[in-house]
Amino acid sequence: MREFLVEITTSAPEGTTEEQVAERRAAEAVRARELAATGHLVRLWRPVGETRSIGVWRAADEAELDEKVLGTLPLRPWMSLTVTPLESHPNDPGRV
């Protein structure tokens, strides 16, 4: 699988109730655990003082990442994404 750096900003549409947001966030947590278990979600961070998330995700290609991984997130309709394909650096200390 290839790795991708994904920056995510989530904004609930105007008129969305707190209950609807809470339901989607709970479903998102469940789906994130499932994607981690299958190796698609590798790491996920939130920069200090910001609401966006930055993560390393894995998929066969960008199409699979979009359709079968990120596209399955309950919050996806509320997300704006920046996807950057990654490749190993020759000096990466974690490179095998």
Side-chain angles (χ1 to χ4, degrees):
M1 285 198 281
R2 295 191 61 198
E3 292 186 326
F4 300 87
L5 179 68
V6 181
E7 296 182 55
I8 303 169
T9 303
T10 305
S11 300
E14 198 171 313
T16 305
T17 67
E18 289 299 319
E19 183 178 321
Q20 291 169 316
V21 171
E23 287 174 6
R24 287 235 187 166
R25 286 192 189 276
E28 186 84 2
V30 170
R31 185 65 183 136
R33 285 191 297 275
E34 293 169 352
L35 290 168
T38 61
H40 291 289
L41 174 56
V42 180
R43 294 294 307 267
L44 194 59
W45 299 271
R46 175 162 290 146
V48 175
E50 297 186 31
T51 57
R52 69 185 171 106
S53 300
I54 300 170
V56 175
W57 299 75
R58 289 187 182 135
D61 53 35
E62 275 193 71
E64 180 186 53
L65 180 71
D66 184 52
E67 296 169 20
K68 297 181 180 177
V69 179
L70 300 174
T72 67
L73 295 170
L75 290 171
R76 177 61 186 102
W78 300 352
M79 292 177 174
S80 60
L81 305 171
T82 302
V83 176
T84 305
L86 301 172
E87 62 183 25
S88 182
H89 188 282
N91 298 328
D92 179 2
R95 187 175 177 181
V96 178

